Structure formats: C-alpha cells, structure tokens
Amino acid sequence: MIFFSNFINTSAIENKIEFKVNNEIITSIDIIKELNYLAALNPKILELDKDKIFEISKNSAIKEKIKKIEILKFTKKIEIENKYLSFLIKDSYMKIDLKSEDEFLKHLSKYNLELNEFKKKITIEALWNQIIISKFKSKINIEKEKIKDEIIKSNDKILSFDLSEIIFKIIKNQILDKKFKDIKNDIKSHGFENAATMHSISETANLGGKLGWVNENSINKKLKKEIKNLNINEFTNPIVIPGGFLIIKLNKKKELEKKINLDEEIKKQIVIKTNQQLNQFSNMYYNKIKKDIKIEKL
C-alpha cells in the first residue's frame, strides 16, 4: 500500500482485496477511501507516518464492516430517511467549523471524497446507533430531578469547557500504566488529536477526540473536579468508566451568564447524558460482537 503525504487519488491505485470480514471484503481502494474520510474529519492524521496512517485506516474500515454485518441482521437496506440524513450532514460539517453544505462539498473535494461516499458512512453510523438505542434504552439511567437541582443550584456564572477525549480499554495482559505511557508518548509526538485517532475506541476518534463545548451542568461531579484542576491544553490521568478508561483534555474554557430556560436546559442535559451512556453501551456491544467475527488478511 502506498500512501502519499497529502491526499490520495484512488484512480492511481491498483485495487486488490486486502481483508475479508466474514463474507465482506475490504479492498485497497476501501482503505484509501477510509483514509480520505478520516482526513476530511481530522486533517492532522496526515502528519503521521504512513504505517500508522495505514493501521488507523485499516482498523476503521474493519470496524465499519463489522457494524454493517450487524446492521444487516436487522434490516435489508442500508438507508435512512432523507430528512434525517440531511440533519446528520449538517451536524457533521458544523463539528468541523464549516457553515454550509457548499463549504462542506469543497472541503470534501480537497480529500478526493464524494458526498455520496460520506453519506454511506454516516448512514451506517446512524443505523448502528439505532440498534444501540433499541437494545439498551431500558438501561439508560437519567435522574431528571437531580439534573434540575444542579441547574438551579449552580452559580450566577456557568463554566463551559471545550473538551477532547480518549476512551481506551486494556486488552488481556496489558498494564494500565504502560498503556497510558504509550498514549502520553503519542500525544507528545503527534498531538492529542492523532493520539485519539490512534487509541480511542469512542465514536469521537474520527474527529480527533473532539467533544466541543460542554457546560459544567452536563458533567458529573467527579469528572468536573478533574477538569477544573486542569490548565488549558492539559489532560487528566485515566479515569475509570464502564467498559474502559477516559482521558479528558481541556482545550478552552469560558464563563456563561446564567440566563437559561430551565426546561430547555434540562432537556439538553438529558440528551447529553443519554448520549454519554449510549456511547459506553456502543463500545461494549461492539467488543462483544467482534469476538464472533472472522477477520482474514488476504
């Protein structure tokens, strides 16, 4: 596999089968398209050496195939409603600070990525998320009254944090201190975004771990304390969470005036906390089904 230091044109690459995931194949073109997709969301991935880029792109393509295999157990077609798809496209380009679909199309073209290819990928993610919601919604634990009390008791000023994350797990025979040391070395050498792409099992890995702005009301007390002890651009030690460990980086912070609609803020916090729990269930479910998947290098 040859990876250019910039963006890759798939027409210049010989297409051959690289991996087989059950009965699904992954070709060299598939891996290059995956790289272009990842680079469009997090351009800093292109700063890594070609072996790391290949490994990340390969693993991401395999993960998508495993999700697709599971999705096809529940539906015959990989498709969602156009209205929902349009919402997801807008949400995607806003996360990378673009303001319109036209801007987004120009951005994708820089990475030799067509909108239809992008749509296929976010459709798979959307259908995967629907499976997770249907399987685990009864296990979601949201304390609405507690959320309400925390909002009411908060000070006149509310802190908001711009955060990034790395969620990782310890594989058999690994040692936490050694794994954390490896992650810290990659953060030092390649930056937090690339370390997240390399190590994180969270859905935010494709965005370099970017969570964006999160109000302090959305964060549990333990994590809030850890974040408040950070200076800008610092990150926490590993924090135990269901299914693994969490590292949080503080990118920026600001104070917001406490002029909020209580009902709207409660709804917002419920959505955030629900998504946090669903992300944990998603990781656990993926790890479970992956054990029954046969992955072959061809």
Side-chain angles (χ1 to χ4, degrees):
M1 296 288 295
I2 299 174
F3 285 85
F4 301 121
S5 59
N6 212 316
F7 317 125
I8 298 173
N9 186 346
T10 54
S11 63
I13 301 295
E14 178 188 357
N15 197 20
K16 61 178 184 177
I17 298 173
E18 297 284 346
F19 296 92
K20 191 174 181 182
V21 184
N22 281 4
N23 293 321
E24 294 276 340
I25 62 169
I26 296 176
T27 68
S28 50
I29 295 295
D30 291 330
I31 295 175
I32 290 168
K33 285 182 177 179
E34 192 67 24
L35 166 58
N36 291 344
Y37 168 70
L38 295 173
L41 296 176
N42 176 29
K44 289 192 176 183
I45 190 176
L46 297 170
E47 297 171 4
L48 298 172
D49 64 61
K50 63 180 183 180
D51 291 333
K52 283 189 172 68
I53 290 174
F54 174 78
E55 190 69 15
I56 291 167
S57 304
K58 174 203 76 175
N59 289 339
S60 184
I62 289 172
K63 188 172 186 177
E64 183 180 82
K65 288 295 185 184
I66 292 173
K67 288 182 176 181
K68 181 181 176 183
I69 289 168
E70 186 68 9
I71 289 165
L72 290 173
K73 294 177 182 178
F74 299 89
T75 183
K76 293 181 179 179
K77 293 184 178 180
I78 305 293
E79 62 181 21
I80 56 176
E81 292 182 2
N82 286 332
K83 185 177 180 180
Y84 185 37
L85 184 57
S86 297
F87 167 79
L88 292 176
I89 292 170
K90 183 176 181 180
D91 184 59
S92 297
Y93 67 67
M94 289 181 70
K95 282 180 179 176
I96 55 174
D97 300 321
L98 298 177
K99 297 178 181 178
S100 69
E101 188 167 320
D102 285 340
E103 269 189 69
F104 188 49
L105 289 173
K106 291 176 183 177
H107 177 77
L108 293 180
S109 68
K110 293 178 184 178
Y111 299 88
N112 294 305
L113 189 65
E114 296 181 359
L115 183 60
N116 280 339
E117 288 294 328
F118 189 85
K119 286 179 177 179
K120 289 177 184 177
K121 291 185 171 297
I122 61 175
T123 296
I124 288 173
E125 284 302 311
L127 292 171
W128 170 262
N129 290 337
Q130 287 177 14
I131 291 173
I132 300 303
I133 290 169
S134 66
K135 284 186 170 293
F136 297 102
K137 61 183 178 182
S138 62
K139 295 185 179 181
I140 298 295
N141 181 27
I142 302 296
E143 299 177 90
K144 184 176 178 180
E145 288 303 314
K146 186 176 179 180
I147 292 172
K148 181 178 178 180
D149 290 342
E150 287 177 353
I151 295 171
I152 293 171
K153 290 176 183 177
S154 60
N155 299 323
D156 291 335
K157 300 281 187 180
I158 297 174
L159 285 175
S160 186
F161 306 104
D162 181 9
L163 303 173
S164 297
E165 69 174 0
I166 295 173
I167 295 177
F168 67 97
K169 62 177 182 175
I170 299 297
I171 303 171
K172 187 178 179 180
N173 296 327
Q174 277 188 329
I175 299 171
L176 176 58
D177 288 346
K178 174 65 167 58
K179 178 69 174 178
F180 184 43
K181 184 179 179 181
D182 291 343
I183 293 173
K184 285 195 294 184
N185 287 338
D186 283 328
I187 291 172
K188 184 177 181 180
S189 301
H190 308 297
F192 194 92
E193 293 92 339
N194 280 328
T197 304
M198 293 160 63
H199 295 283
S200 185
I201 60 173
S202 171
E203 302 301 331
T204 60
N206 290 347
L207 294 167
K210 185 178 179 181
L211 286 169
W213 287 98
V214 181
N215 290 355
E216 62 178 318
N217 291 331
S218 306
I219 306 169
N220 65 51
K221 288 181 180 179
K222 181 182 177 181
L223 185 53
K224 189 191 304 183
K225 184 179 179 181
E226 294 275 357
I227 293 169
K228 285 187 173 181
N229 286 331
L230 296 175
N231 295 315
I232 301 300
N233 292 325
E234 288 184 343
F235 53 88
T236 65
N237 288 323
I239 300 164
V240 179
I241 62 171
F245 299 87
L246 167 69
I247 300 170
I248 285 285
K249 176 176 176 274
L250 177 61
N251 302 313
K252 301 174 187 175
K253 65 180 177 181
K254 62 185 177 183
E255 285 187 345
L256 303 175
E257 294 289 341
K258 190 182 173 184
K259 295 178 180 177
I260 58 173
N261 180 306
L262 183 59
D263 290 336
E264 288 300 317
E265 187 64 19
I266 290 171
K267 289 177 184 177
K268 182 179 177 182
Q269 302 313 320
I270 288 174
V271 169
I272 291 172
K273 291 180 183 294
T274 299
N275 288 339
Q276 289 170 346
Q277 293 183 38
L278 285 172
N279 189 41
Q280 293 170 357
F281 287 124
S282 175
N283 291 330
M284 289 187 286
Y285 188 65
Y286 174 80
N287 291 331
K288 178 184 176 183
I289 65 170
K290 185 181 178 182
K291 293 176 182 178
D292 298 323
I293 298 290
K294 186 178 181 181
I295 302 170
E296 299 176 87
K297 174 75 174 76
L298 300 177

